[in-house]
């Protein structure tokens, strides 16, 4: 491998590798409050696989990057999610996952970011990385399934309680209000968008040109795969408004990947809104604007509402608790987190799964306690 690319490639592997144990650290307390044995088993599978993804990245560092790679692999074990002195590299992986609604949102939105990042690394000319990512993507699909169906079930239970008690405020009835679910969507979606980096990025261009990464589904793209002649539009905030700007396509690759991700995220919204529709509920969930609550890229430092209006800092702060989970919302969700460990039983705030795992019934004893 040419020396000039070596450092970049090692960095890509370290950044990906750092996310894998981070999510296990974030989720480490959830086993104490699983809403059912079915969910507990899913949590364990997700955690074991993330641990294995760390291992896969560490293997590459040890096998191909010499002393520097081994040092970086050690450093992966030193960092810890949320640690003030030695945090994980990316912001979303230092957030807390204190409750199961956060877990389902994380596996929907943040594991889905993982899917897209792995999709670009799968196109790498460095074949050991490409092959590893191909295999990791298969496991990622299950993590996203846990998230998608987890939120399905929370929404279904909320809708059921709304109808039963003829109210939007299902909190006193042991459910999670739709507003709170929306705020969790807003939070997890926005911190996951930050993982795509700046809309305009020379690093992304260099990685692509050097063949270290590709685009999402590179082989299906009908262009020259070199992009030196192409242009693309990226989001910018100008004169207090969100607009777009034309840049060389190579500089817009993070934006390109993010666009694919956003389209994918929309599918969850449609799905959850179908659950509401079928239950006869008129209210709907929606993704906030891509500029909402951002700390990275074109929107960082701006105050964008979920509808996409740029407002002043005061106006934004005044509405923060309408848009993002506040202390009361988090406390309510946390108050519902009690372990339900009898086979076939399920917590009050979530509907049972549509079916069990590996053709076993929902009532199967998925986890045995010694
Ligand atoms: Fe992973
Ligand atoms: Fe994952």
């Amino acid at each position: 491998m040419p020396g000039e690319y070596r450092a970049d490639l090692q960095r890509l592997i370290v950044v990906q590798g750092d996310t894998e144990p981070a999510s296990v650290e974030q989720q480490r307390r959830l086993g104490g409050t699983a809403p059912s044995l079915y969910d507990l088993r899913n949590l364990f599978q997700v955690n074991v696989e993330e641990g294995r993804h760390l291992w896969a990245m560490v293997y590459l560092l040890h096998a191909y990057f010499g002393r520097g790679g081994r040092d970086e692999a050690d450093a992966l074990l030193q960092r810890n999610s949320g640690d003030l002195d030695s945090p994980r590299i990316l912001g979303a992986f230092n957030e807390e996952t204190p409750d199961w609604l956060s877990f389902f949102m994380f596996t929907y939105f943040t594991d889905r970011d993982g899917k897209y990042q792995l999709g670009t690394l799968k196109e790498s000319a460095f074949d050991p990385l490409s092959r590893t990512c191909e295999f990791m993507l298969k496991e990622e699909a299950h993590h996203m399934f846990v998230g998608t169906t987890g939120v399905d079930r929370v929404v279904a239970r909320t809708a059921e309680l709304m109808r039963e008690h003829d109210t939007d405020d299902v909190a006193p009835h042991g459910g999670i209000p739709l507003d709170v679910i929306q705020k969790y969507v807003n939070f997890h979606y926005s911190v996951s968008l930050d993982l795509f980096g700046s809309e305009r990025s020379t690093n992304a261009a260099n990685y692509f040109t050097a063949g270290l990464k590709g685009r999402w589904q590179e082989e299906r793209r009908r262009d020259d795969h070199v992009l030196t002649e192409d242009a693309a539009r990226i989001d910018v905030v100008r004169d207090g408004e969100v607009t777009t700007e034309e840049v060389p396509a190579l500089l817009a690759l993070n934006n390109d990947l993010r666009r694919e991700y956003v389209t994918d995220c929309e599918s969850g919204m449609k799905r959850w809104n179908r659950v509401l529709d079928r239950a006869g509920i008129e209210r709907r969930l929606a993704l906030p604007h891509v500029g909402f609550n951002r700390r990275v890229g074109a929107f960082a430092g701006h105050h964008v509402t979920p509808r996409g209006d740029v407002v002043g800092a005061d106006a934004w702060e005044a509405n923060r608790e309408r848009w993002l989970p506040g202390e009361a919302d988090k406390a309510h969700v946390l108050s519902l987190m009690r372990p339900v460990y009898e086979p076939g039983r399920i917590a009050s705030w979530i509907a049972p799964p549509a079916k069990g795992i590996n053709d076993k019934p929902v009532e199967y004893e998925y986890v045995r306690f010694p």
Side-chain angles (χ1 to χ4, degrees):
M1 178 189 341
E4 54 188 311
Y5 302 138
R6 203 185 161 92
D8 281 346
L9 189 53
Q10 180 178 303
R11 182 69 189 161
L12 288 175
I13 293 171
V14 167
V15 172
Q16 179 61 42
D18 192 70
T19 66
E20 311 289 352
S23 63
V24 183
E25 290 155 12
Q26 289 167 292
Q27 295 159 16
R28 73 190 182 282
R29 293 189 207 287
L30 294 176
T33 57
S36 70
L37 290 181
Y38 164 91
D39 291 291
L40 186 60
R41 187 215 176 278
N42 278 342
L43 172 72
F44 289 160
Q45 182 173 341
V46 169
N47 288 167
V48 164
E49 289 172 354
E50 299 299 11
R52 197 156 59 207
H53 295 176
L54 167 68
W55 192 10
M57 294 294 107
V58 165
Y59 170 75
L60 295 177
L61 292 171
H62 274 246
Y64 297 97
F65 293 87
R67 177 67 191 267
R70 291 197 294 279
D71 288 348
E72 285 289 359
D74 277 348
L76 280 171
L77 295 177
Q78 302 305 323
R79 287 189 291 273
N80 237 299
S81 177
D83 189 313
L84 293 179
D85 299 322
S86 177
R88 290 295 169 191
I89 296 169
L90 301 170
F93 293 90
N94 289 302
E95 301 287 351
E96 289 190 324
T97 312
D99 60 71
W100 281 76
L101 181 59
S102 299
F103 173 64
F104 294 136
M105 292 291 175
F106 186 99
T107 42
Y108 186 81
F109 288 109
T110 310
D111 282 279
R112 190 170 310 273
D113 157 75
K115 164 183 165 183
Y116 283 85
Q117 305 301 340
L118 291 172
T120 66
L121 296 174
K122 180 179 82 101
E123 306 292 339
S124 181
F126 180 52
D127 190 53
L129 177 61
S130 168
R131 281 185 287 129
T132 299
C133 289
E134 182 109 44
F135 138 78
M136 286 160 69
L137 271 166
K138 299 209 165 76
E139 298 192 329
E140 233 37 78
H142 173 258
H143 307 173
M144 291 182 290
F145 162 84
V146 169
T148 310
T149 55
V151 180
D152 278 357
R153 291 160 53 210
V154 178
V155 171
R157 179 61 181 148
T158 296
E160 190 176 54
L161 289 169
M162 285 169 78
R163 290 200 54 137
E164 196 178 311
H165 300 280
D166 194 21
T167 175
D168 283 358
D169 186 14
V170 296
H173 307 290
I176 303 179
L178 223 40
D179 301 344
V180 176
I181 298 174
Q182 178 67 59
K183 292 184 207 181
Y184 275 66
V185 166
N186 292 351
F187 175 75
H188 287 271
Y189 176 64
S190 57
V191 299
S192 299
L193 287 174
D194 277 346
L195 296 170
F196 289 85
S198 290
E199 287 78 357
R200 172 202 280 267
S201 167
T202 40
N203 276 345
N206 292 339
Y207 297 153
F208 178 81
T209 304
L212 305 182
K213 269 184 172 189
R215 285 169 295 173
W216 178 251
Q217 297 195 322
E218 187 68 48
E219 66 270 54
R220 289 201 201 164
R221 305 281 185 134
R222 305 208 176 279
D223 52 33
D224 65 2
H225 306 272
V226 180
L227 306 180
T228 43
E229 308 296 320
D230 298 347
R233 300 200 78 83
I234 58 171
D235 293 318
V236 287
V237 179
R238 198 183 301 122
D239 304 328
E241 266 184 59
V242 178
T243 172
T244 62
E245 178 178 277
E246 191 171 283
V247 295
L250 279 172
L251 291 180
L253 291 175
N254 285 344
N255 199 77
D256 178 85
L257 190 63
R258 193 190 73 193
R259 196 172 40 237
E260 300 283 343
Y261 170 79
V262 169
T263 306
D264 197 352
C265 287
E266 295 279 5
S267 67
M269 295 299 124
K270 285 200 195 112
R271 197 185 153 109
W272 302 329
N273 286 333
R274 260 201 311 273
V275 174
L276 291 172
D277 190 45
R278 274 201 300 268
I281 305 284
E282 273 172 30
R283 293 185 49 196
R284 295 289 176 262
L285 295 164
L287 293 176
H289 188 272
V290 286
F292 172 72
N293 193 39
R294 298 292 307 283
R295 300 208 172 147
V296 173
F299 298 106
H302 295 284
H303 297 88
V304 181
T305 69
R307 289 182 42 193
D309 300 320
V310 183
V311 297
D314 292 347
W316 199 92
E317 283 303 328
N319 284 291
R320 173 189 280 274
E321 302 237 326
R322 276 180 53 215
W323 297 332
L324 290 169
E327 290 314 316
D329 301 322
K330 292 183 200 171
H332 171 63
V333 173
L334 214 51
S335 76
L336 298 174
M337 299 297 126
R338 306 238 178 82
V340 178
Y341 291 162
E342 283 160 59
R345 282 201 48 218
I346 188 103
S348 67
W349 53 273
I350 185 167
K355 60 185 176 79
I357 303 165
N358 295 339
D359 295 327
K360 301 273 194 303
V362 172
E363 310 76 49
Y364 183 74
E365 189 181 9
Y366 284 106
V367 180
R368 281 199 197 115
F369 293 88

